[in-house]
Amino acid sequence: MTSPDASVGRVAAAFSRAIVRGRWVVLVVWVMGAIVALLNMPPPVPAGGAGLRGLVPEDSRAVEAEIRDLEAFGFPVLSRTIVVQHDPEGL
């Protein structure tokens, strides 16, 4: 009868052999995945493309608000911009 340590050692050795032998399978799968990703990628956008114009319709309320802010303040106040006003006297 074999001891539990011996059977665990055999299982670990078999697992390590399987991992080492399977390294080429992992490599082939990674390469095939990279090729599939490259073939299914959308074409690159030219450098002088439309930028963000294609993401938001021109008649959206957000764009209208930014145009209104540009006219009022002289620079565009984007929704990503946070305006902070500090009062030294406190709130």
Side-chain angles (χ1 to χ4, degrees), residues 18-38:
I19 293 295
V20 170
R21 288 183 183 147
R23 69 187 183 274
W24 297 112
V25 174
V26 172
L27 180 66
V28 169
V29 169
W30 270 97
V31 169
M32 288 173 51
I35 291 171
V36 168
L38 285 172

Side-chain angles (χ1 to χ4, degrees), residues 52 66 77-83:
L52 297 177
E66 288 187 13
V77 180
L78 305 174
S79 60
R80 300 176 299 274
T81 305
I82 299 173
V83 178

Side-chain angles (χ1 to χ4, degrees), residues 6-23:
S7 64
V8 170
R10 274 185 269 153
V11 170
F15 180 72
S16 65
R17 279 192 301 274
I19 293 295
V20 170
R21 288 183 183 147
R23 69 187 183 274

Side-chain angles (χ1 to χ4, degrees), residues 21-90:
R21 288 183 183 147
R23 69 187 183 274
W24 297 112
V25 174
V26 172
L27 180 66
V28 169
V29 169
W30 270 97
V31 169
M32 288 173 51
I35 291 171
V36 168
L38 285 172
L39 293 176
N40 291 320
M41 233 188 242
V45 177
L52 297 177
R53 290 181 190 211
L55 298 177
V56 180
E58 291 184 21
D59 61 343
S60 98
R61 290 177 54 199
V63 173
E64 291 173 7
E66 288 187 13
I67 292 171
R68 202 171 46 245
D69 292 341
L70 176 64
E71 292 168 353
F73 301 114
F75 60 93
V77 180
L78 305 174
S79 60
R80 300 176 299 274
T81 305
I82 299 173
V83 178
V84 177
Q85 182 176 0
H86 176 71
D87 185 3
E89 305 280 327

